[in-house]
Amino acid sequence: MPPSTLSQLLSERKIKALILDLDGVITQTAKVHANAWKKMFDDYLLQRGEQESVVYKPLEIATDYRDYIDGIPRYDGVRNFLASRNIVLPEGTATDAPGKETVAGLGNLKNNYFKKLIEQGGVQVYPDTVAFLQNKIAQGFRTAVISASKNCQPILAAAGLEELFEVRVDGVVSVELGLKGKPAPDVFTEAARQLGVQPQEAAIFEDALAGVEAGKAGGFALVVGINRTDETSELLKHGADLVLDKFPTE
C-alpha cells in the first residue's frame, strides 16, 4: 500500500487546525537568522580568543546552528552555543546594550544583525507554503503561526501574510505568558488553545528538530517535518510523522 499523502492524513486524523512555524516553513528567514548568529558568534569568539590566546572554533551553520540554536528562544540559543565552547557568561538583562559580554547582550547584538539583514534583503516567502495555506483556509481549516522570534509580527507584516493566520504565538507572547521554549510543546499547545482545538485535532508543520520534538511531546495528531536543508532522517528521528521537501499543490 502506498504511503498516505498529506491530504489523506489530514482527513484520516480528522484535523481541524494547522499550526506552522515561521522561519524556514513560511518565510525564508531561517537562513537570515543563521547568518546573523554566525556573524555575532564568530566576531565574539575571535575577540575573546585574542584576549585569552585561545583559538575557538567558529560557528558551523550545518551543525552548531541546528543543534544548539535553531527554533529556540534567542537567549537560550546564546547559552547553548557558548556552553558547547565551554564558555559561561552572566545572564544580564533584556536591556543590556547589544554586544555587552552577557547572554542578553550577545543575544541583542544578534537581533540587531538580523534586523539589518532583513532591511537589506527584505522578507522572502516560500510560495508553496502560501498556496497550501490559501487552499486549506478555503476548505475551512483554522490556522496559527508560531515562532521563537520576537520579530514574528513585523516579518509577517513585511511579507503581507498576517491575514493568513487567526492566531500568533511568538517570542513576545511567550514572554508575556511565561511559555517554555522548544522542545517543550508550550507554544504549540497555546496556539491550539487560542484556536479552540485540542492537540489531537491539530497538525504541526516544523523545519527545526526542536520543533518536531515539541509537536510530538504535545501529543498533536500529526507532526510534519518540512525538509528545507536535507534533514529527512533527522526530522523523522526527532518525531516527525511525515517529512515533505515542499508543500503539495493538492
Side-chain angles (χ1 to χ4, degrees):
M1 180 181 295
S4 297
T5 66
L6 176 57
S7 286
Q8 288 171 335
L9 288 171
L10 293 176
S11 176
E12 291 168 2
R13 302 191 184 188
K14 298 179 171 56
I15 303 297
K16 297 179 180 178
L18 312 175
I19 304 175
L20 288 78
D21 179 51
L22 177 70
D23 301 304
V25 176
I26 302 166
T27 60
Q28 299 182 34
T29 41
K31 299 173 186 176
V32 184
H33 278 292
N35 289 334
W37 279 109
K38 181 167 178 60
K39 175 170 174 52
M40 184 276 288
F41 273 130
D42 285 0
D43 288 352
Y44 173 70
L45 292 176
L46 180 61
Q47 179 183 28
R48 185 183 178 104
E50 290 175 347
Q51 293 172 349
E52 299 177 346
S53 297
V54 172
V55 176
Y56 287 103
K57 182 182 177 183
L59 183 148
E60 294 289 341
I61 291 176
T63 53
D64 293 323
Y65 178 70
R66 179 194 69 187
D67 294 341
Y68 304 121
I69 300 170
D70 190 20
I72 67 174
R74 189 187 314 145
Y75 296 157
D76 289 348
V78 174
R79 202 178 301 109
N80 287 353
F81 176 77
L82 290 178
S84 77
R85 301 304 192 263
N86 297 311
I87 297 173
V88 178
L89 293 182
E91 286 295 307
T93 68
T95 58
D96 280 0
K100 183 176 181 179
E101 200 169 4
T102 62
V103 169
L106 293 185
N108 294 345
L109 180 59
K110 176 267 166 181
N111 195 44
N112 278 5
Y113 287 151
F114 174 77
K115 289 180 177 179
K116 288 179 182 177
L117 289 172
I118 289 295
E119 289 173 4
Q120 293 168 2
V123 176
Q124 305 298 315
V125 304
Y126 286 105
D128 58 298
T129 308
V130 175
F132 172 80
L133 277 169
Q134 291 170 334
N135 182 33
K136 293 307 177 187
I137 290 170
Q139 294 175 20
F141 284 87
R142 311 289 301 281
T143 57
V145 58
I146 66 92
S147 177
S149 175
K150 294 181 179 179
N151 298 306
C152 181
Q153 188 278 328
I155 287 173
L156 287 174
L161 299 179
E162 285 184 288
E163 64 183 19
L164 292 180
F165 302 99
E166 302 171 54
V167 167
R168 184 186 79 250
V169 179
D170 58 11
V172 175
V173 175
S174 292
V175 170
E176 292 174 351
L177 299 181
L179 304 179
K180 295 179 181 177
K182 296 178 260 183
D186 296 29
V187 291
F188 291 118
T189 54
E190 176 61 21
R193 186 193 70 78
Q194 291 191 30
L195 286 172
V197 300
Q198 296 298 314
Q200 297 80 9
E201 299 174 308
I204 301 300
F205 297 84
E206 261 283 3
D207 70 314
L209 303 184
V212 293
E213 284 185 26
K216 182 62 68 175
F220 285 84
L222 181 64
V223 179
V224 181
I226 303 301
N227 180 38
R228 304 291 193 191
T229 55
D230 194 24
E231 291 187 324
T232 296
S233 61
E234 287 297 312
L235 288 165
L236 290 169
K237 186 186 302 182
H238 283 76
D241 299 308
L242 173 72
V243 175
L244 302 173
D245 291 337
K246 63 186 299 185
F247 282 86
T249 56
E250 59 193 16

